[in-house]
Amino acid sequence: MSGIDFGTGAPDAARPDYEVIVVGAGFGGIGTGIALQRKGIHDFIIVDKWDRVGGTWHANTYPGVAVDIPSFIYSFSYEQRGDWSRIFAPGTELRDYAEDMVDKYGLRGKLRLNTTIVAADFDDDSSLWRLTTDGGQQLTARYAVLAIGGLERPKMPDIEGVNDFGGTLVHTAMWDHDVDLRGKRVAVIGTGATALQLIPAIVEETAHLTVFQRTPIWVFPKNDSEVGLLGRQILGRKRIRSALRAVGNVGTELAMSGMVAGPAWLTDTSRRLAEVPVRQWMRRQVDDPVLREKLMPKYGLGCKRPSMSNDYLKTFNRTDVSLVTDSIARITENGVVTVDGTEHEIDVLICATGFKLWEKGSVPPFPMRGRRGIDLETFWDEHRYQSYQGVSVPGFPNAFTITGPYGFVLGSYIWMIEATAAHLSRAIAESKRRGATEIEIRQEVHDEYFAKCLRRQEKNFLFTPACAGSNTYYIDDHGDSPFRPSTHGEMYWQNRHFDLDVYRYTVGAPVRAASVVLSEEAL
């Protein structure tokens, strides 16, 4: 099978402004730019709505923000550092790390910041993508890459009256550093990983802090510390640093990806065994027995992302901190009313309510129309989230994603970025080598991969009674878990060594099919 379709002899497709346009200048966009350069592709730009790079780590600046995976793991394998200030680096250091990557790999001149893409349309006649900016400008490229992360589009709570609140309203992903919390009655809605970092960081400032909890979070002790001179000398040695990284990778593999990729009997047993010491440690942090039980998860460990903190649970021992587990009925001008009729009067309302991930209107965050105007959001809404290795979708030629469905193995996002960036850069380089104007994942290959992911999902413990009531974002609005049910090793290997003929390459003017066929077998 040659993998090449020859056109009908029509004129060559129009020449675009750029060979590749990458949307997003977070770690995904930076990793994509480096991967493209390594394949000899230099005619590209990286577009981002923000005024500087960093993505998630530029958008999220709330007090206490930090990485929850050790910094020597949460970094590119080819750009490891030994000068982190802490084992779990604060968000500003991750943002600075992104800036350093941009300069070291010569990407500064590729950036187009303060530019928001509002639409992307595939031009069937010219075999190129037309991207429209918020300023009305149109940018064209042979290939388009969506490197848009999921942890920067804030999700406000769907609560009656939230916009009627008369005090200060802020979401953690849009933190207002001019807000003064000193001496204020402050409420936090949410007890996920963000709130776990935020609450201990602000409690010393507030007059009274009220935390509204829907679902308690699993909390691990955080073995964090400053990386002093000796630590930097140790981490500065490449072999030692690589060895520590390897050990950390194996631990993360077993603790996270192993929970969804391993056999059910093993994952269930290991999960139950791991819960015992964690529950014991959590209970020791809280003095009041009634309050202690309210903070204990009733769902299984691993059903939603756990986090680490040495201070979060202890915060509830304070007399100036209240935990409210009654459901919120509505928000008024003066505060929050719970279903028991109590109005909690506050001055500042902080929404630590997460981000828009697998939701209609957010994936992707703008209309993206492929062959014959098929809208990507509509396709996913009607046919479930799906893509080949998180990178390619049939009907969307010359388009690739970094964080697409069934591409991310639970663990460090950086591992996925390296894998999917390697995949798409390899595909684009092959398309160029063949002189193709279009590259598109073959329908049957995509369907086989999607069906395989769904089969593996059947043994995923996320769908067992152990996860009932967890309200996990690991499951989308279709009832699927669009994370890749595999190990990191499998993700690493398959993205770098897939058969290049899984794609169809069109040379010259393409022959247009009557329609894009959607296989029902994989749906």
Side-chain angles (χ1 to χ4, degrees):
M1 169 171 75
S2 70
I4 298 178
D5 289 345
F6 290 93
T8 58
D12 289 340
R15 179 173 178 81
D17 300 328
Y18 306 96
E19 198 157 32
V20 185
I21 292 180
V22 181
V23 183
F27 284 144
I30 294 169
T32 297
I34 294 170
L36 290 172
Q37 289 182 147
R38 288 180 166 178
K39 288 294 184 180
I41 302 167
H42 300 279
D43 182 17
F44 65 88
I45 59 171
I46 303 174
V47 181
D48 198 286
K49 64 182 180 181
W50 299 108
D51 59 352
R52 63 183 297 180
V53 303
T56 294
W57 301 105
H58 175 55
N60 290 273
T61 61
Y62 59 85
V65 61
V67 67
D68 60 0
I69 292 177
S71 308
F72 56 86
I73 296 177
Y74 195 85
S75 52
F76 289 94
S77 62
Y78 51 81
E79 195 58 44
Q80 299 179 40
R81 282 178 47 174
D83 60 348
W84 302 105
S85 67
R86 305 190 66 85
I87 295 176
F88 295 87
T92 52
E93 287 190 32
L94 273 298
R95 185 183 61 189
D96 292 343
Y97 175 68
E99 294 280 6
D100 292 343
M101 295 277 290
V102 166
D103 290 329
K104 180 171 181 177
Y105 289 90
L107 298 176
R108 188 69 60 184
K110 305 287 188 182
L111 298 175
R112 301 294 184 272
L113 302 177
N114 294 306
T115 303
T116 302
I117 300 299
V118 297
D121 295 270
F122 184 69
D123 186 328
D124 289 274
D125 297 323
S126 299
S127 298
L128 52 77
W129 281 92
R130 299 185 181 277
L131 281 68
T132 305
T133 72
D134 54 346
Q137 182 183 7
Q138 188 174 93
L139 305 172
T140 60
R142 181 70 63 213
Y143 309 98
V145 177
L146 294 188
I148 303 170
L151 304 182
E152 62 172 76
R153 293 186 295 281
K155 179 181 179 180
M156 294 298 293
D158 185 17
I159 300 174
E160 177 187 345
V162 66
N163 294 320
D164 297 329
F165 179 59
T168 301
L169 176 66
V170 61
H171 190 283
T172 52
M174 301 176 67
W175 192 260
D176 185 351
H177 290 273
D178 291 330
V179 173
D180 188 357
L181 302 180
R182 289 176 297 180
K184 301 290 181 63
R185 298 168 299 174
V186 179
V188 175
I189 298 178
T191 52
T194 297
L196 183 142
Q197 295 180 338
L198 172 76
I199 288 169
I202 65 173
V203 69
E204 294 293 345
E205 297 181 56
T206 63
H208 191 90
L209 181 62
T210 304
V211 179
F212 292 90
Q213 172 186 277
R214 180 180 65 171
T215 308
I217 184 175
W218 281 94
V219 184
F220 286 74
K222 189 172 186 178
N223 297 316
D224 189 20
S225 64
E226 292 186 8
V227 180
L229 178 60
L230 178 59
R232 294 191 182 197
Q233 289 176 342
I234 293 174
L235 291 176
R237 296 177 180 273
K238 184 176 180 180
R239 290 185 178 180
I240 296 177
R241 186 174 62 234
S242 296
L244 290 172
R245 181 183 173 94
V247 172
N249 288 347
V250 171
T252 305
E253 183 89 305
L254 293 174
M256 299 192 74
S257 61
M259 295 292 284
V260 297
W265 64 268
L266 178 60
T267 57
D268 186 62
T269 301
S270 60
R271 176 182 56 78
R272 290 177 183 273
L273 290 174
E275 286 181 1
V276 175
V278 179
R279 283 190 185 277
Q280 291 176 341
W281 178 83
M282 290 179 66
R283 285 194 165 97
R284 289 197 299 269
Q285 309 307 302
V286 185
D287 299 333
D288 183 89
V290 175
L291 192 60
R292 182 188 306 146
E293 291 309 308
K294 289 182 178 181
L295 289 164
M296 294 301 299
K298 303 300 186 290
Y299 57 89
L301 177 63
C303 295
K304 62 191 302 181
R305 189 180 182 104
S307 196
M308 295 171 287
S309 174
N310 300 325
D311 305 315
Y312 171 72
L313 294 171
K314 291 180 179 179
T315 302
F316 295 97
N317 293 325
R318 299 174 59 117
T319 57
D320 57 353
V321 176
S322 302
L323 177 69
V324 178
T325 57
D326 292 321
S327 298
I328 297 175
R330 64 187 183 280
I331 296 173
T332 67
E333 181 180 357
N334 299 317
V336 179
V337 178
T338 48
V339 290
D340 63 354
T342 303
E343 181 172 21
H344 304 265
E345 294 189 355
I346 55 175
D347 305 305
V348 180
L349 178 58
I350 301 173
C351 298
T353 45
F355 305 89
K356 295 179 179 179
L357 292 174
W358 307 109
E359 297 181 21
K360 189 173 182 179
S362 61
V363 186
F366 51 79
M368 184 172 187
R369 292 171 282 263
R371 197 183 300 286
R372 281 184 163 74
I374 296 176
D375 180 70
L376 182 56
E377 180 190 66
T378 301
F379 168 66
W380 279 338
D381 185 50
E382 294 177 353
H383 300 282
R384 303 159 76 172
Y385 292 107
Q386 52 186 287
S387 65
Y388 178 64
Q389 300 203 44
V391 177
S392 302
V393 179
F396 293 83
N398 297 2
F400 306 91
T401 60
I402 285 290
T403 59
Y406 301 99
F408 176 49
V409 176
L410 292 177
S412 170
Y413 255 83
I414 302 295
W415 296 341
M416 174 199 59
I417 290 169
E418 285 196 38
T420 52
H423 180 129
L424 68 89
S425 61
R426 185 168 179 248
I428 293 174
E430 180 64 12
S431 179
K432 285 170 53 62
R433 188 189 70 81
R434 300 191 189 199
T437 53
E438 288 185 13
I439 175 175
E440 183 178 354
I441 189 65
R442 293 179 180 275
Q443 186 78 50
E444 65 275 14
V445 173
H446 164 274
D447 291 349
E448 181 182 356
Y449 177 78
F450 183 40
K452 180 180 179 180
C453 289
L454 293 181
R455 286 195 302 271
R456 288 186 174 184
Q457 254 190 35
E458 293 176 358
K459 65 177 182 180
N460 195 322
F461 82 101
L462 292 172
F463 303 97
T464 67
C467 292
S470 63
N471 296 309
T472 178
Y473 71 81
Y474 288 173
I475 297 178
D476 64 27
D477 55 6
H478 295 283
D480 298 322
S481 178
F483 296 96
R484 180 171 181 148
S486 76
T487 63
H488 288 93
E490 183 182 44
M491 175 185 69
Y492 179 96
W493 181 264
Q494 289 186 356
N495 276 289
R496 289 167 172 80
H497 300 282
F498 62 87
D499 183 350
L500 289 165
D501 281 333
V502 299
Y503 285 93
R504 178 178 291 107
Y505 305 86
T506 302
V507 176
V511 178
R512 300 299 173 195
S515 63
V516 177
V517 179
L518 302 177
S519 172
E520 294 297 329
E521 295 180 1
L523 302 179

